Amino acid sequence: MPELPEVEAIRRRLETEVVGSEIVSTCVHRASTTHPQRPAPVESHTAAHRIEAIRRRGKNLLLELSGGIVLHIHLRMSGNLYVLAGDGHRPATARVTFELSDGRALIFDDTRALGKVHVYKARDMPHLLRGIGLEPLSSEFTVEALANAARGARQPIKIFLLDQRHIAGLGNIYAAEALFRAGIDPRKPAGKLRRSRLKALHAAIVAILADAVQSAHIAYASPGRFREAERFPLLVYNRAGEACGICGRAIRRILQGGRSTYFCPGCQR
DNA sequence: AGTCACCTGATT
DNA sequence: AATCAGGTGACT
């Protein structure tokens, strides 16, 4: 489920809940979650370490542990990270359990088991993250930086936005919503957008993600999982056939790179 | 840029 | 039974 806003909401929540806590033991319940690393090293390199900080880079969560160890977690499609009280029931979909010294447990829950948990030395992280693109809610993400990234790109702009090497954190939902808000046809080649269009797109991305972080924070606030109803309304995603709220034309669904793209043929040109 | 693979579950 | 799902990496 998670794109940048959901990952950031999880990060903020965990920051208040587990930074400063010590992991006493770790159990990997599904080997594919740590693949190609073996479960044993992940377990041994996290046990007896304290969680010192939690950072996010795009959709990646980085738990900085004592002793120069980084726990790298990617939630992929269905991952979630949350704290379970000492008397809580661990669900069957838990893929990794980190037992904390105060009796609580940090659970990596992942229904589809596509998510990843790996351990690295802190000094290796810059190398491992080198291919990740602009952080859209940071000061480095400017119209100029977006224009530089898009220059000469022949990919459709929707495909371009999903490519984490350009911008880190957009996924299928918010890419579609940002393009709608900016009034851009998702099939338009990225490198052919005029500066005025890029400016609108830049503003749309920042506004959508900032709003979505806020609502995701609320949606995750109560214990349990993401509450869809709390998210701010999506204007095109998953609305094929419905009337566009602006122009009234039917929202279309097309395939790009094997994935659904939703857009309004009236508003996006 | 398209297709498959990795997984499970919801929906048609 | 078939299709779809908020992600990504390895093919072609």
Side-chain angles (χ1 to χ4, degrees):
Chain A
M1 150 165 97
E3 300 182 28
L4 182 153
E6 292 77 27
V7 177
E8 175 62 16
I10 289 170
R11 188 199 71 76
R12 290 184 186 182
R13 187 171 174 74
L14 292 181
E15 191 165 57
T16 68
E17 293 182 336
V18 300
V19 165
S21 296
E22 185 191 348
I23 298 169
V24 291
S25 68
T26 299
C27 184
V28 175
H29 308 111
R30 159 93 57 138
S32 65
T33 296
T34 63
H35 187 271
Q37 295 182 348
R38 304 289 306 145
V42 174
E43 292 170 344
S44 63
H45 286 104
T46 52
H49 286 259
R50 201 163 49 87
I51 301 170
E52 296 186 329
I54 306 183
R55 294 195 300 129
R56 178 190 58 74
R57 184 72 174 85
K59 299 171 193 169
N60 301 275
L61 279 171
L62 305 167
L63 278 65
E64 298 183 353
L65 307 185
S66 53
I69 295 290
V70 175
L71 187 58
H72 177 208
I73 298 180
H74 199 299
L75 305 172
R76 292 281 181 96
M77 294 286 270
S78 59
N80 195 3
L81 254 192
Y82 55 86
V83 173
L84 200 60
D87 55 359
H89 173 69
R90 174 160 54 82
T93 48
R95 306 306 179 196
V96 183
T97 298
F98 304 93
E99 300 284 354
L100 305 179
S101 61
D102 58 13
R104 297 177 303 158
L106 177 61
I107 304 288
F108 176 66
D109 191 299
D110 186 14
T111 303
R112 290 179 67 179
L114 298 174
K116 292 294 173 187
V117 174
H118 294 128
V119 284
Y120 299 105
K121 293 174 181 171
R123 65 169 176 273
D124 293 336
M125 286 315 295
H127 169 73
L128 292 160
L129 297 173
R130 75 193 182 289
I132 301 185
L134 299 165
E135 196 60 47
L137 293 183
S138 80
S139 58
E140 71 178 1
F141 185 57
T142 59
V143 177
E144 197 60 34
L146 176 60
N148 285 339
R151 184 164 300 129
R154 287 178 299 218
Q155 308 162 279
I157 185 62
K158 160 69 161 25
I159 300 282
F160 175 90
L161 293 179
L162 290 184
D163 188 332
Q164 304 294 297
R165 294 172 299 186
H166 298 130
I167 301 172
L170 283 175
N172 211 29
I173 292 181
Y174 299 119
E177 295 296 315
L179 287 168
F180 173 72
R181 182 166 176 143
I184 296 169
D185 187 320
R187 299 164 293 190
K188 181 98 173 166
K192 291 184 67 177
L193 292 169
R194 300 160 60 119
R195 177 59 64 115
S196 61
R197 304 277 74 205
L198 288 176
K199 190 173 176 187
L201 179 57
H202 174 271
I205 289 169
V206 172
I208 297 249
L209 291 180
D211 279 2
V213 167
Q214 292 306 312
S215 68
H217 200 46
I218 294 165
Y220 278 118
S222 67
R225 36 191 66 30
F226 190 83
R227 288 178 304 162
E228 180 65 37
E230 304 285 353
R231 190 218 254 111
F232 74 82
L234 301 177
L235 302 183
V236 288
Y237 183 83
N238 207 17
R239 291 188 178 278
E242 295 181 35
C244 169
I246 304 295
C247 77
R249 288 189 56 182
I251 291 166
R252 287 187 58 196
R253 172 182 178 267
I254 60 173
L255 284 183
Q256 289 183 294
R259 313 190 64 200
S260 294
T261 295
Y262 299 89
F263 71 105
C264 171
C267 297
Q268 296 175 254
R269 347 196 104 255

